[in-house]
Amino acid sequence: LMLCTHGVPFLDVEVYFVPGIGWQTRMFFKLIDVQAYLLPSSSHPPHVAAAIPNGVARRVRRICSEPIEFHRAKNLFKGFLARRGYSPSRVHEAFNKVAAIPRSKVMLYSSKSRSSDRLTLIYPWSENIGQVCAQLRHCFEATSWPERIPSESTLRNPLRMAFRRGH
């Protein structure tokens, strides 16, 4: 798993041949790799650190083509994440969740769905946030809605705000 003895390493993947089965893949890393994942105590938004165990579990699941290799890598990476301060139960949950998904399904590209039925209010960026808030209050008044745009109470999804820099 760590040292490549029977295959060809490329980045974090080792490709190797199993007689009678064919080409397989497993995790590869150098012994000097420190596995420096983002600390959960960092100043990043909480959802960023919370996504790390899920991302690592999915990456390990995608790379390891044989169940035994997934099991080995899972145990190693659980330890790496625990040493970086991630909750062992949260990491265990992430690996169990991805282990229940067939590898063929994990390998598929999945795009994030973008809801097209959200109304986006776009405002020019302003240093004077008070003025922007006054404009927003005006937009949320029922009488200020153009007839072709539904009122906020009839929208299925919340409004989205965007600020535009420039002229």
mmCIF file of all heavy atoms in Angstrom, residues 8-37:
data_model
loop_
_atom_site.group_PDB
_atom_site.id
_atom_site.type_symbol
_atom_site.label_atom_id
_atom_site.label_comp_id
_atom_site.label_asym_id
_atom_site.label_seq_id
_atom_site.Cartn_x
_atom_site.Cartn_y
_atom_site.Cartn_z
ATOM 1 N N VAL A 8 2.945 0.295 -10.969
ATOM 2 C CA VAL A 8 3.448 1.589 -11.409
ATOM 3 C C VAL A 8 2.688 2.679 -10.660
ATOM 4 O O VAL A 8 1.465 2.770 -10.771
ATOM 5 C CB VAL A 8 3.249 1.759 -12.933
ATOM 6 C CG1 VAL A 8 3.726 3.119 -13.391
ATOM 7 C CG2 VAL A 8 3.951 0.647 -13.693
ATOM 8 N N PRO A 9 3.405 3.508 -9.889
ATOM 9 C CA PRO A 9 2.722 4.589 -9.170
ATOM 10 C C PRO A 9 2.555 5.826 -10.043
ATOM 11 O O PRO A 9 3.410 6.122 -10.886
ATOM 12 C CB PRO A 9 3.664 4.879 -8.007
ATOM 13 C CG PRO A 9 5.015 4.548 -8.530
ATOM 14 C CD PRO A 9 4.807 3.404 -9.495
ATOM 15 N N PHE A 10 1.454 6.512 -9.836
ATOM 16 C CA PHE A 10 1.215 7.801 -10.479
ATOM 17 C C PHE A 10 0.364 8.617 -9.523
ATOM 18 O O PHE A 10 -0.769 8.229 -9.204
ATOM 19 C CB PHE A 10 0.503 7.627 -11.824
ATOM 20 C CG PHE A 10 0.208 8.941 -12.483
ATOM 21 C CD1 PHE A 10 1.235 9.672 -13.063
ATOM 22 C CD2 PHE A 10 -1.070 9.456 -12.500
ATOM 23 C CE1 PHE A 10 0.975 10.898 -13.664
ATOM 24 C CE2 PHE A 10 -1.334 10.677 -13.104
ATOM 25 C CZ PHE A 10 -0.312 11.395 -13.694
ATOM 26 N N LEU A 11 0.918 9.716 -9.029
ATOM 27 C CA LEU A 11 0.279 10.558 -8.021
ATOM 28 C C LEU A 11 -0.107 9.706 -6.816
ATOM 29 O O LEU A 11 0.762 9.149 -6.176
ATOM 30 C CB LEU A 11 -0.906 11.315 -8.620
ATOM 31 C CG LEU A 11 -0.564 12.263 -9.788
ATOM 32 C CD1 LEU A 11 -1.825 12.881 -10.367
ATOM 33 C CD2 LEU A 11 0.412 13.336 -9.351
ATOM 34 N N ASP A 12 -1.402 9.569 -6.510
ATOM 35 C CA ASP A 12 -1.786 8.776 -5.338
ATOM 36 C C ASP A 12 -2.388 7.422 -5.713
ATOM 37 O O ASP A 12 -3.092 6.805 -4.926
ATOM 38 C CB ASP A 12 -2.737 9.560 -4.432
ATOM 39 C CG ASP A 12 -4.015 9.983 -5.127
ATOM 40 O OD1 ASP A 12 -4.126 9.811 -6.352
ATOM 41 O OD2 ASP A 12 -4.915 10.492 -4.435
ATOM 42 N N VAL A 13 -2.079 6.952 -6.917
ATOM 43 C CA VAL A 13 -2.604 5.672 -7.410
ATOM 44 C C VAL A 13 -1.443 4.762 -7.797
ATOM 45 O O VAL A 13 -0.459 5.213 -8.377
ATOM 46 C CB VAL A 13 -3.496 5.891 -8.662
ATOM 47 C CG1 VAL A 13 -4.014 4.568 -9.202
ATOM 48 C CG2 VAL A 13 -4.626 6.839 -8.377
ATOM 49 N N GLU A 14 -1.583 3.491 -7.466
ATOM 50 C CA GLU A 14 -0.658 2.488 -7.974
ATOM 51 C C GLU A 14 -1.461 1.543 -8.847
ATOM 52 O O GLU A 14 -2.485 1.010 -8.412
ATOM 53 C CB GLU A 14 -0.003 1.697 -6.847
ATOM 54 C CG GLU A 14 0.944 0.629 -7.378
ATOM 55 C CD GLU A 14 1.520 -0.254 -6.279
ATOM 56 O OE1 GLU A 14 1.304 0.030 -5.088
ATOM 57 O OE2 GLU A 14 2.164 -1.256 -6.640
ATOM 58 N N VAL A 15 -1.022 1.363 -10.072
ATOM 59 C CA VAL A 15 -1.669 0.440 -11.009
ATOM 60 C C VAL A 15 -0.829 -0.833 -11.014
ATOM 61 O O VAL A 15 0.386 -0.783 -11.172
ATOM 62 C CB VAL A 15 -1.745 1.045 -12.434
ATOM 63 C CG1 VAL A 15 -2.404 0.072 -13.393
ATOM 64 C CG2 VAL A 15 -2.474 2.375 -12.414
ATOM 65 N N TYR A 16 -1.482 -1.971 -10.803
ATOM 66 C CA TYR A 16 -0.763 -3.242 -10.748
ATOM 67 C C TYR A 16 -1.597 -4.317 -11.447
ATOM 68 O O TYR A 16 -2.796 -4.163 -11.658
ATOM 69 C CB TYR A 16 -0.446 -3.632 -9.298
ATOM 70 C CG TYR A 16 -1.670 -3.853 -8.434
ATOM 71 C CD1 TYR A 16 -2.145 -5.133 -8.183
ATOM 72 C CD2 TYR A 16 -2.351 -2.776 -7.877
ATOM 73 C CE1 TYR A 16 -3.270 -5.332 -7.399
ATOM 74 C CE2 TYR A 16 -3.468 -2.959 -7.087
ATOM 75 C CZ TYR A 16 -3.925 -4.242 -6.853
ATOM 76 O OH TYR A 16 -5.037 -4.431 -6.089
ATOM 77 N N PHE A 17 -0.917 -5.405 -11.822
ATOM 78 C CA PHE A 17 -1.575 -6.478 -12.566
ATOM 79 C C PHE A 17 -1.750 -7.702 -11.671
ATOM 80 O O PHE A 17 -0.814 -8.130 -10.994
ATOM 81 C CB PHE A 17 -0.746 -6.848 -13.804
ATOM 82 C CG PHE A 17 -1.440 -7.809 -14.709
ATOM 83 C CD1 PHE A 17 -2.427 -7.375 -15.570
ATOM 84 C CD2 PHE A 17 -1.116 -9.160 -14.700
ATOM 85 C CE1 PHE A 17 -3.077 -8.260 -16.417
ATOM 86 C CE2 PHE A 17 -1.765 -10.049 -15.533
ATOM 87 C CZ PHE A 17 -2.759 -9.599 -16.391
ATOM 88 N N VAL A 18 -2.953 -8.259 -11.694
ATOM 89 C CA VAL A 18 -3.256 -9.493 -10.958
ATOM 90 C C VAL A 18 -3.547 -10.568 -12.009
ATOM 91 O O VAL A 18 -4.509 -10.437 -12.776
ATOM 92 C CB VAL A 18 -4.472 -9.318 -10.024
ATOM 93 C CG1 VAL A 18 -4.817 -10.629 -9.341
ATOM 94 C CG2 VAL A 18 -4.221 -8.219 -9.006
ATOM 95 N N PRO A 19 -2.712 -11.626 -12.088
ATOM 96 C CA PRO A 19 -2.948 -12.681 -13.082
ATOM 97 C C PRO A 19 -4.351 -13.279 -12.925
ATOM 98 O O PRO A 19 -4.804 -13.538 -11.815
ATOM 99 C CB PRO A 19 -1.867 -13.718 -12.767
ATOM 100 C CG PRO A 19 -0.795 -12.956 -12.062
ATOM 101 C CD PRO A 19 -1.512 -11.889 -11.287
ATOM 102 N N GLY A 20 -5.017 -13.457 -14.037
ATOM 103 C CA GLY A 20 -6.354 -14.030 -14.035
ATOM 104 C C GLY A 20 -7.456 -13.008 -13.775
ATOM 105 O O GLY A 20 -8.636 -13.290 -13.994
ATOM 106 N N ILE A 21 -7.107 -11.827 -13.303
ATOM 107 C CA ILE A 21 -8.109 -10.782 -13.031
ATOM 108 C C ILE A 21 -7.887 -9.586 -13.948
ATOM 109 O O ILE A 21 -8.802 -9.096 -14.573
ATOM 110 C CB ILE A 21 -8.073 -10.344 -11.548
ATOM 111 C CG1 ILE A 21 -8.476 -11.516 -10.656
ATOM 112 C CG2 ILE A 21 -8.996 -9.154 -11.307
ATOM 113 C CD1 ILE A 21 -8.382 -11.229 -9.173
ATOM 114 N N GLY A 22 -6.651 -9.120 -14.002
ATOM 115 C CA GLY A 22 -6.340 -7.974 -14.853
ATOM 116 C C GLY A 22 -5.757 -6.818 -14.059
ATOM 117 O O GLY A 22 -5.286 -6.980 -12.934
ATOM 118 N N TRP A 23 -5.821 -5.636 -14.634
ATOM 119 C CA TRP A 23 -5.258 -4.439 -14.020
ATOM 120 C C TRP A 23 -6.130 -3.973 -12.867
ATOM 121 O O TRP A 23 -7.350 -3.916 -12.976
ATOM 122 C CB TRP A 23 -5.114 -3.337 -15.053
ATOM 123 C CG TRP A 23 -4.079 -3.660 -16.080
ATOM 124 C CD1 TRP A 23 -4.297 -4.108 -17.353
ATOM 125 C CD2 TRP A 23 -2.667 -3.600 -15.923
ATOM 126 N NE1 TRP A 23 -3.111 -4.330 -17.987
ATOM 127 C CE2 TRP A 23 -2.082 -4.015 -17.133
ATOM 128 C CE3 TRP A 23 -1.823 -3.233 -14.888
ATOM 129 C CZ2 TRP A 23 -0.713 -4.068 -17.332
ATOM 130 C CZ3 TRP A 23 -0.455 -3.281 -15.079
ATOM 131 C CH2 TRP A 23 0.083 -3.698 -16.297
ATOM 132 N N GLN A 24 -5.471 -3.633 -11.767
ATOM 133 C CA GLN A 24 -6.157 -3.148 -10.570
ATOM 134 C C GLN A 24 -5.477 -1.861 -10.103
ATOM 135 O O GLN A 24 -4.367 -1.543 -10.533
ATOM 136 C CB GLN A 24 -6.086 -4.205 -9.452
ATOM 137 C CG GLN A 24 -6.707 -5.540 -9.809
ATOM 138 C CD GLN A 24 -8.206 -5.446 -9.987
ATOM 139 O OE1 GLN A 24 -8.903 -4.871 -9.165
ATOM 140 N NE2 GLN A 24 -8.709 -6.007 -11.068
ATOM 141 N N THR A 25 -6.158 -1.158 -9.205
ATOM 142 C CA THR A 25 -5.586 0.072 -8.652
ATOM 143 C C THR A 25 -5.726 0.072 -7.132
ATOM 144 O O THR A 25 -6.637 -0.547 -6.580
ATOM 145 C CB THR A 25 -6.283 1.323 -9.214
ATOM 146 O OG1 THR A 25 -7.683 1.227 -8.960
ATOM 147 C CG2 THR A 25 -6.039 1.479 -10.699
ATOM 148 N N ARG A 26 -4.791 0.753 -6.485
ATOM 149 C CA ARG A 26 -4.839 0.920 -5.032
ATOM 150 C C ARG A 26 -4.156 2.243 -4.681
ATOM 151 O O ARG A 26 -3.505 2.861 -5.521
ATOM 152 C CB ARG A 26 -4.170 -0.246 -4.322
ATOM 153 C CG ARG A 26 -2.708 -0.435 -4.623
ATOM 154 C CD ARG A 26 -2.138 -1.629 -3.883
ATOM 155 N NE ARG A 26 -0.912 -2.073 -4.541
ATOM 156 C CZ ARG A 26 -0.551 -3.337 -4.645
ATOM 157 N NH1 ARG A 26 -1.313 -4.293 -4.162
ATOM 158 N NH2 ARG A 26 0.570 -3.668 -5.238
ATOM 159 N N MET A 27 -4.303 2.631 -3.425
ATOM 160 C CA MET A 27 -3.712 3.884 -2.949
ATOM 161 C C MET A 27 -2.183 3.769 -2.957
ATOM 162 O O MET A 27 -1.634 2.709 -2.686
ATOM 163 C CB MET A 27 -4.172 4.200 -1.523
ATOM 164 C CG MET A 27 -5.646 4.455 -1.366
ATOM 165 S SD MET A 27 -6.268 5.893 -2.242
ATOM 166 C CE MET A 27 -5.326 7.218 -1.551
ATOM 167 N N PHE A 28 -1.551 4.880 -3.276
ATOM 168 C CA PHE A 28 -0.103 4.950 -3.211
ATOM 169 C C PHE A 28 0.286 6.277 -2.572
ATOM 170 O O PHE A 28 -0.304 7.315 -2.869
ATOM 171 C CB PHE A 28 0.520 4.867 -4.611
ATOM 172 C CG PHE A 28 1.994 5.179 -4.606
ATOM 173 C CD1 PHE A 28 2.915 4.225 -4.217
ATOM 174 C CD2 PHE A 28 2.448 6.434 -4.967
ATOM 175 C CE1 PHE A 28 4.276 4.513 -4.194
ATOM 176 C CE2 PHE A 28 3.803 6.727 -4.947
ATOM 177 C CZ PHE A 28 4.717 5.759 -4.564
ATOM 178 N N PHE A 29 1.233 6.247 -1.665
ATOM 179 C CA PHE A 29 1.830 7.464 -1.139
ATOM 180 C C PHE A 29 3.231 7.138 -0.668
ATOM 181 O O PHE A 29 3.543 6.004 -0.330
ATOM 182 C CB PHE A 29 0.992 8.090 -0.017
ATOM 183 C CG PHE A 29 0.750 7.183 1.155
ATOM 184 C CD1 PHE A 29 1.614 7.167 2.229
ATOM 185 C CD2 PHE A 29 -0.358 6.352 1.166
ATOM 186 C CE1 PHE A 29 1.378 6.339 3.306
ATOM 187 C CE2 PHE A 29 -0.602 5.524 2.243
ATOM 188 C CZ PHE A 29 0.263 5.503 3.317
ATOM 189 N N LYS A 30 4.068 8.155 -0.674
ATOM 190 C CA LYS A 30 5.447 7.975 -0.237
ATOM 191 C C LYS A 30 5.496 8.000 1.283
ATOM 192 O O LYS A 30 4.653 8.611 1.935
ATOM 193 C CB LYS A 30 6.320 9.079 -0.811
ATOM 194 C CG LYS A 30 6.426 9.017 -2.319
ATOM 195 C CD LYS A 30 7.291 10.137 -2.838
ATOM 196 C CE LYS A 30 7.383 10.052 -4.356
ATOM 197 N NZ LYS A 30 8.164 11.147 -4.916
ATOM 198 N N LEU A 31 6.488 7.344 1.843
ATOM 199 C CA LEU A 31 6.639 7.314 3.298
ATOM 200 C C LEU A 31 6.859 8.704 3.884
ATOM 201 O O LEU A 31 6.563 8.944 5.048
ATOM 202 C CB LEU A 31 7.782 6.386 3.689
ATOM 203 C CG LEU A 31 7.530 4.899 3.424
ATOM 204 C CD1 LEU A 31 8.769 4.090 3.752
ATOM 205 C CD2 LEU A 31 6.345 4.408 4.231
ATOM 206 N N ILE A 32 7.373 9.632 3.082
ATOM 207 C CA ILE A 32 7.607 10.989 3.588
ATOM 208 C C ILE A 32 6.355 11.863 3.508
ATOM 209 O O ILE A 32 6.364 12.988 3.988
ATOM 210 C CB ILE A 32 8.775 11.672 2.838
ATOM 211 C CG1 ILE A 32 8.470 11.769 1.346
ATOM 212 C CG2 ILE A 32 10.078 10.934 3.089
ATOM 213 C CD1 ILE A 32 9.456 12.627 0.579
ATOM 214 N N ASP A 33 5.268 11.351 2.916
ATOM 215 C CA ASP A 33 4.014 12.107 2.831
ATOM 216 C C ASP A 33 3.458 12.297 4.240
ATOM 217 O O ASP A 33 3.297 11.327 4.989
ATOM 218 C CB ASP A 33 3.012 11.355 1.958
ATOM 219 C CG ASP A 33 1.774 12.184 1.631
ATOM 220 O OD1 ASP A 33 1.567 13.232 2.264
ATOM 221 O OD2 ASP A 33 1.029 11.760 0.743
ATOM 222 N N VAL A 34 3.149 13.532 4.606
ATOM 223 C CA VAL A 34 2.688 13.817 5.975
ATOM 224 C C VAL A 34 1.164 13.791 6.100
ATOM 225 O O VAL A 34 0.649 13.967 7.201
ATOM 226 C CB VAL A 34 3.239 15.167 6.484
ATOM 227 C CG1 VAL A 34 4.737 15.100 6.649
ATOM 228 C CG2 VAL A 34 2.823 16.303 5.582
ATOM 229 N N GLN A 35 0.446 13.590 5.013
ATOM 230 C CA GLN A 35 -1.032 13.534 5.039
ATOM 231 C C GLN A 35 -1.585 14.735 5.799
ATOM 232 O O GLN A 35 -2.338 14.603 6.753
ATOM 233 C CB GLN A 35 -1.507 12.225 5.666
ATOM 234 C CG GLN A 35 -0.982 10.971 5.012
ATOM 235 C CD GLN A 35 -1.460 10.789 3.578
ATOM 236 O OE1 GLN A 35 -2.504 11.277 3.180
ATOM 237 N NE2 GLN A 35 -0.685 10.069 2.785
ATOM 238 N N ALA A 36 -1.203 15.927 5.383
ATOM 239 C CA ALA A 36 -1.548 17.168 6.084
ATOM 240 C C ALA A 36 -2.915 17.694 5.652
ATOM 241 O O ALA A 36 -3.025 18.697 4.963
ATOM 242 C CB ALA A 36 -0.474 18.222 5.847
ATOM 243 N N TYR A 37 -3.959 17.008 6.073
ATOM 244 C CA TYR A 37 -5.311 17.470 5.788
ATOM 245 C C TYR A 37 -5.628 18.710 6.609
ATOM 246 O O TYR A 37 -5.079 18.914 7.696
ATOM 247 C CB TYR A 37 -6.320 16.355 6.085
ATOM 248 C CG TYR A 37 -6.154 15.179 5.165
ATOM 249 C CD1 TYR A 37 -5.548 14.013 5.604
ATOM 250 C CD2 TYR A 37 -6.553 15.250 3.845
ATOM 251 C CE1 TYR A 37 -5.360 12.942 4.755
ATOM 252 C CE2 TYR A 37 -6.372 14.182 2.980
ATOM 253 C CZ TYR A 37 -5.776 13.034 3.446
ATOM 254 O OH TYR A 37 -5.584 11.988 2.599
#
